[in-house]
Amino acid sequence: MALLEVENLRTRFATDRGVVRAVDGVSFTLEQGEVLGLVGESGSGKSVTSLSLMRLIREPPGKIEADKLVFDGVDLLKASESTMSSLRGGKMAMIFQDPMRSLNPVLTVGRQLTETLRRHLRLDGDAARRRAIELLEMVGIPLAEKRLNSYPHQFSGGMRQRVMIAIALSCNPRLLIADEATTALDVTIQAQIVDLVKRLTRDLGTAVIWISHDLGLVAGLCNRVNVMYAGRIAETGSVRDVFYRPSHGYTVGLIGCTPRVDRVGAPLTLIEGRPPDLIRPISLCPFLPRCAVAIDACNKTMPAMNTIEAGHAARCHADLSVFHQKGAA
Amino acid sequence: MADLAATRLSDKEDDFRPAGGLQLAARQLLRNPAATIGFAVLTLMVLAAIFAPLISPHNPIQIKLSAKLQPPSAVYWLGTDHFGRDVVSRLIYGARVSLSVGLLVILFSFSLGVPIGVLSGYVGGRLDATLMRLVDAFLTFPPLLLAVAIVGLLGPDIQNVMIALGVVQAPVLARLVRASTLAAREETYVTAVRALGASPTRIIVGHVLRNVLSPIVVQLTIGFSAAVVSEASLSFLGLGTQPPQPSWGRDLAEARRFMTDAPWLFLAPTLTIMLAVLSINFVGDGLRDALDPRSWVTRRRATQEADD
């Protein structure tokens, strides 16, 4: 059985201007130990999807609906707030984008680590402390024991993100959601964090949802990718399928505007225009106004999710095989 | 340079001895000279108030007309008032009233204003609207007038003065706490703590409240000063401490009649009130810094930069 099953997830927000459909019909499953990438530009619904999974959306003004939302055998839609509280930080954990702001500035790092350990694993003071030291060592913080008494501002951004990862992993979660976890960090630190996450998923069997707009990073880290646009999944497939055989106009555009070291000097393309207003009802492909490869059919009907090959599907009318790299490994 | 060596040394201490946040904060507070002095002065005042019968040289309410309006001397260190009562003894006994008014008023406004403010700010919505309109209603009255009205309703008595002043101060605190809570609630770390499964109570007490503590402490020290002064005003109007009981404010009010003949009479309570208010403000400032670990480093960095 899959660890996480999401079927037709819809998250809406009531605003003064109308209802914003931030996530509109997202479906996917996640197996244990799998690393799933969620890519797309700002406002495509990546973060709202992940916050919805943890039911961290404030209701109201938000509203989460789904045909199915089951995590590790628990129906998240019907779960009580206390069930959710014991899942969060226990079986499902999350790392946020801004490490400078995701730790409480007035509490020591040790206190913030042990707080979660005490709550979920019911460890007493000493045991929690020992485990906290272990965790800090695991994420590569030197002199872990004395660093427990440090405050967040005494750490650099990369160190803080390691601390956040240590806290998130402290109770051996089955699912780790990383929301732009390395976006605020420089590339060397980013590489270290990615290595760390890779090692941890391998050693602990944690499933990861990695949200990013950095395609290179996702390609190196994930098994599968969901490309999101306008609150929907535009394309889904294995990393190789999606990057070498992109089958949605938006994916093609995204890949085109990613700089690559093996194509130094090649021009970067641009996706003109802006993402659609999610208050307006969507009847055609939401990417149509910006699409470079649109065909006649696009102006007539909304494309359905077409299976291209096993495990690879896209919501696109156009035949994009010209963009596919033949024989690419 | 010596200062830098000292901070480095204590850094090492921090590093190798496990210390709780509270210990670190206390150490930080004692590193601030103004706060230390303020704390010492307040401690002395509190001790004087507690042991008043043992240390006051004379009976504070015994009338001795033969010794009225005497200037400071070896027998009467700060002179006597128009009934021949010893000013020093009256100040010592007066500390009991003034300090307990200050303390109880801020306790009262804290226990009323902070829960209202935090709930209002954190929960929001209809609860926020209701509570804040109520607070607004109280804030429309001029503070002293509201206190006079409440004491008038309850009867002139020192306990009622404390209640009245507490009721006057609580809405101010509630507003401040609500505003700080609103800001803290939207911080990423609050979402992060929620994502780690903390209960709402835990989030409010352990994280939100802990982060809005600094403005609360500052407001409370202002409230303490205001309470001491307001008690004086209300006693002056005959609504607070009743004669012949001494209180700093009452004595000051009475002394104004003899301002030119016996200036020590009003100088003594004035300076005492000033000293108390100044001390509590120093302690408040020190506490504000000590409660915010981020400000610890600023000072350390400042020393280092000055050295470099």
Side-chain angles (χ1 to χ4, degrees):
Chain A
M1 197 184 73
L3 177 67
L4 176 69
E5 285 176 87
V6 183
E7 234 179 83
N8 198 12
L9 174 69
R10 304 175 301 273
T11 304
R12 297 170 306 188
F13 293 94
T15 69
D16 294 338
R17 291 203 302 128
V19 176
V20 177
R21 291 180 178 78
V23 173
D24 198 6
V26 164
S27 306
F28 63 91
T29 57
L30 187 66
E31 302 294 334
Q32 195 172 325
E34 190 178 13
V35 183
L36 171 71
L38 226 51
V39 301
E41 66 199 284
S42 306
S44 59
K46 306 175 307 246
S47 295
V48 175
T49 302
S50 61
L51 290 171
S52 302
L53 296 181
M54 295 196 71
R55 287 243 320 258
L56 285 172
I57 301 282
R58 240 175 242 283
E59 292 178 278
K63 177 90 185 125
I64 304 170
E65 285 173 336
D67 294 347
K68 194 173 186 184
L69 193 58
V70 178
F71 168 73
D72 201 26
V74 181
D75 186 342
L76 298 180
L77 288 172
K78 293 195 183 117
S80 66
E81 191 49 36
S82 68
T83 310
M84 284 314 295
S85 278
S86 61
L87 282 179
R88 291 182 199 132
K91 283 188 175 171
M92 57 200 321
M94 190 162 177
I95 315 169
F96 292 86
Q97 174 170 7
D98 190 352
M100 306 311 253
R101 310 187 63 168
S102 39
L103 286 165
N104 189 337
V106 298
L107 298 179
T108 60
V109 161
R111 172 76 195 283
Q112 301 188 50
L113 259 166
T114 49
E115 190 181 312
T116 310
L117 290 169
R118 281 159 184 249
R119 185 181 318 115
H120 292 293
L121 302 182
R122 308 250 169 256
L123 295 181
D124 64 16
D126 249 13
R129 208 183 146 77
R130 275 197 305 275
R131 173 87 175 118
I133 294 170
E134 263 174 48
L135 284 162
L136 287 185
E137 280 168 353
M138 179 180 81
V139 296
I141 287 182
L143 300 168
E145 187 166 0
K146 69 174 198 179
R147 290 305 251 169
L148 282 186
N149 292 328
S150 299
Y151 286 88
H153 68 263
Q154 294 164 322
F155 287 82
S156 67
M159 290 291 227
R160 282 190 221 188
Q161 197 61 301
R162 282 157 192 261
V163 172
M164 281 310 295
I165 292 175
I167 295 178
L169 292 174
S170 61
C171 304
N172 293 328
R174 312 278 311 269
L175 171 65
L176 176 69
I177 301 175
D179 187 355
E180 304 266 10
T182 59
T183 305
L185 306 174
D186 61 64
V187 281
T188 45
I189 308 295
Q190 187 171 322
Q192 290 171 15
I193 300 278
V194 168
D195 278 346
L196 178 67
V197 171
K198 267 187 184 167
R199 204 180 73 219
L200 297 173
T201 49
R202 197 182 56 225
D203 296 351
L204 305 174
T206 313
V208 177
I209 297 180
W210 188 272
I211 299 175
S212 181
H213 53 247
D214 184 339
L215 296 184
L217 191 66
V218 169
L221 180 68
C222 302
N223 312 119
R224 267 199 314 138
V225 190
N226 283 345
V227 179
M228 287 193 67
Y229 189 77
R232 298 133 190 260
I233 292 179
E235 180 166 358
T236 178
S238 70
V239 165
R240 189 172 297 175
D241 287 343
V242 172
F243 287 113
Y244 290 126
R245 305 160 65 81
S247 302
H248 191 286
Y250 181 55
T251 317
V252 171
L254 270 186
I255 294 171
C257 58
T258 307
R260 290 176 55 168
V261 264
D262 57 340
R263 302 254 174 88
V264 178
L268 290 177
T269 52
L270 242 165
I271 304 179
E272 299 280 353
R274 299 174 56 201
D277 183 352
L278 296 176
I279 290 178
R280 297 218 189 96
I282 292 169
S283 53
L284 293 172
C285 171
F287 187 62
L288 179 61
R290 307 169 71 187
C291 191
V293 296
I295 55 173
D296 287 346
C298 299
N299 288 308
K300 290 174 189 139
T301 54
M302 168 85 99
M305 204 64 163
N306 297 317
T307 305
I308 290 115
E309 56 227 328
H312 184 196
R315 223 182 269 275
C316 193
H317 284 308
D319 174 18
L320 298 174
S321 49
V322 289
F323 294 98
H324 293 182
Q325 294 177 28
K326 307 247 160 37
Chain B
M1 197 61 214
D3 197 20
L4 182 62
T7 51
R8 286 230 174 111
L9 209 64
S10 58
D11 267 2
K12 265 199 180 128
E13 234 171 77
D14 291 355
D15 289 344
F16 294 110
R17 204 197 310 154
L22 208 65
Q23 260 172 292
L24 292 174
R27 214 175 288 165
Q28 196 66 29
L29 185 66
L30 291 178
R31 232 174 252 168
N32 178 343
T36 315
I37 293 170
F39 191 69
V41 170
L42 282 178
T43 312
L44 282 178
M45 284 185 171
V46 170
L47 287 176
I50 293 170
F51 298 109
L54 296 178
I55 58 168
S56 40
H58 301 274
N59 182 334
I61 55 173
Q62 191 172 34
I63 295 173
K64 196 171 167 195
L65 289 173
S66 61
K68 71 173 185 180
L69 295 178
Q70 295 222 340
S73 66
V75 184
Y76 301 108
W77 300 334
L78 290 174
T80 61
D81 69 3
H82 55 296
F83 288 125
R85 296 173 299 196
D86 178 39
V87 171
V88 171
S89 306
R90 286 188 70 79
L91 284 181
I92 293 173
Y93 273 91
R96 292 184 154 187
V97 173
S98 298
L99 292 182
S100 46
V101 166
L103 207 67
L104 290 173
V105 165
I106 61 170
L107 264 180
F108 188 88
S109 65
F110 179 85
S111 47
L112 201 66
V114 170
I116 292 178
V118 166
L119 275 181
S120 203
Y122 192 80
V123 179
R126 215 166 284 163
L127 181 77
D128 179 35
T130 316
L131 286 175
M132 281 305 115
R133 293 303 79 74
L134 208 70
V135 162
D136 285 344
F138 274 94
L139 285 174
T140 53
F141 294 103
L144 200 61
L145 208 62
L146 181 60
V148 169
I150 296 171
V151 179
L153 271 175
L154 300 174
D157 173 47
I158 195 68
Q159 269 101 26
N160 295 341
V161 166
M162 295 180 195
I163 295 173
L165 292 178
V167 169
V168 169
Q169 288 192 8
V172 183
L173 195 62
R175 269 245 168 246
L176 180 86
V177 172
R178 171 182 175 267
S180 311
T181 305
L182 276 180
R185 188 183 76 167
E186 299 307 325
E187 290 284 352
T188 315
Y189 59 78
V190 172
T191 315
V193 176
R194 276 179 72 210
L196 289 169
S199 65
T201 327
R202 181 88 209 106
I203 296 171
I204 290 177
V205 177
H207 295 273
V208 173
L209 202 56
R210 182 64 189 74
N211 270 284
V212 303
L213 216 51
S214 290
I216 293 178
V217 164
V218 172
Q219 183 59 38
L220 286 182
T221 57
I222 295 171
F224 182 95
S225 317
V228 171
V229 175
S230 303
E231 186 272 331
S233 314
L234 290 174
S235 295
F236 174 72
L237 295 172
L239 294 170
T241 319
Q242 298 302 313
Q245 290 307 317
S247 105
W248 296 344
R250 252 214 84 73
D251 287 10
L252 177 59
E254 274 180 11
R256 88 200 185 294
R257 289 190 287 158
F258 309 99
M259 203 124 85
T260 45
D261 303 328
W264 61 87
L265 257 187
F266 85 90
L267 274 179
T270 307
L271 292 177
T272 313
I273 292 175
M274 205 183 84
L275 197 62
V277 168
L278 207 60
S279 303
I280 192 100
N281 284 347
F282 279 159
V283 173
D285 271 1
L287 272 178
R288 185 198 56 207
D289 289 348
L291 288 173
D292 186 354
R294 282 163 299 186
S295 70
W296 302 356
V297 140
T298 328
R299 202 170 307 128
R300 218 174 274 165
R301 272 204 199 121
T303 346
Q304 279 171 2
E305 270 161 21
D307 256 37
D308 286 346

